[in-house]
Amino acid sequence: LASVLVLGRRPDPGPDRLPRRVTLGRRLMGMACDLLFLVLASSAVGLLWRAWELWLTGTPERFVDEETQARLQWIGPLAIEVLWVLIAGRTVGEHVVAVRAVARRRRLAPLSRLVKLATGVGGLFGLLLVREWWGFLALATYALLTLLVAWRSTGHRGLSHVLAGMDLVPDDAGAP
């Protein structure tokens, strides 16, 4: 957030100054940005709901509807990620690091985006909601597999891109 103060004052570097390849570091930063977005956005929604309940409606703290709060704080960020992937074909984190996912078969792009969503950020959300003993094990396995595939795959595509048949390319129109 602090970089906005600096980046807003810098001249536009133009597309020739953007990175020309997708490195493992860039992919990991994109994944970290997705995770950070989900955590910060869900925290903000949770805080707004609690503020609404406590201060604006005057609900005593012991009567705050925590079930609704939990639903809202996960549904909001998930909806943003879902729309971002289905419309733009990339996650918020991929947008931040200026990469975009391109379907290897253009005519299958909508299906590729659905697979990317289900096996990427959608799968992550699904595993986060599992409250059984095996949920943590499944989440850790998913995270390890995602990192391993991003490290070893061509272009550091990641698990969701490999399964969706998509390539990651630098975004010439993205922000530096």
Side-chain angles (χ1 to χ4, degrees):
L1 292 174
S3 70
V4 171
L5 299 172
V6 176
L7 291 177
R9 298 177 188 196
R10 294 176 62 192
D12 184 18
D16 57 328
R17 301 259 328 262
L18 291 173
R20 297 196 184 282
R21 58 191 189 107
V22 179
T23 63
L24 179 59
R26 192 172 182 182
R27 278 297 289 138
L28 294 176
M29 182 57 70
M31 291 177 187
C33 287
D34 277 325
L35 193 56
L36 187 61
F37 168 75
L38 296 176
V39 169
L40 292 177
S42 66
S43 298
V45 170
L47 285 172
L48 288 172
W49 171 257
R50 198 159 274 279
W52 171 267
E53 287 281 284
L54 294 175
W55 296 327
L56 297 175
T57 66
T59 304
E61 187 169 356
R62 67 182 181 273
F63 293 121
V64 171
D65 187 356
E66 292 181 3
E67 189 68 30
T68 300
Q69 176 184 333
R71 283 190 186 115
L72 288 174
Q73 77 183 81
W74 288 113
I75 289 173
L78 177 60
I80 292 169
E81 285 281 9
V82 166
L83 289 173
W84 212 287
V85 170
L86 294 180
I87 293 170
R90 59 184 172 178
T91 64
V92 172
E94 290 167 348
H95 180 78
V96 169
V97 298
V99 296
R100 58 187 166 86
V102 178
R104 289 184 170 177
R105 296 181 180 170
R106 293 261 192 233
R107 59 185 168 80
L108 295 178
L111 179 61
S112 293
R113 288 179 180 185
L114 283 173
V115 172
K116 171 189 166 89
L117 180 63
T119 58
V121 72
L124 174 66
F125 260 98
L127 290 174
L128 284 171
L129 296 177
V130 173
R131 299 196 186 258
E132 301 295 324
W133 65 268
W134 54 268
F136 177 76
L137 180 62
L139 183 61
T141 302
Y142 170 82
L144 184 63
L145 187 59
T146 297
L147 293 172
L148 182 64
V149 172
W151 173 49
R152 299 298 297 167
S153 66
T154 306
H156 305 291
R157 296 184 296 158
L159 180 63
S160 63
H161 297 98
V162 169
L163 295 174
M166 300 179 96
D167 289 315
L168 279 175
V169 297
D171 185 12
D172 295 335

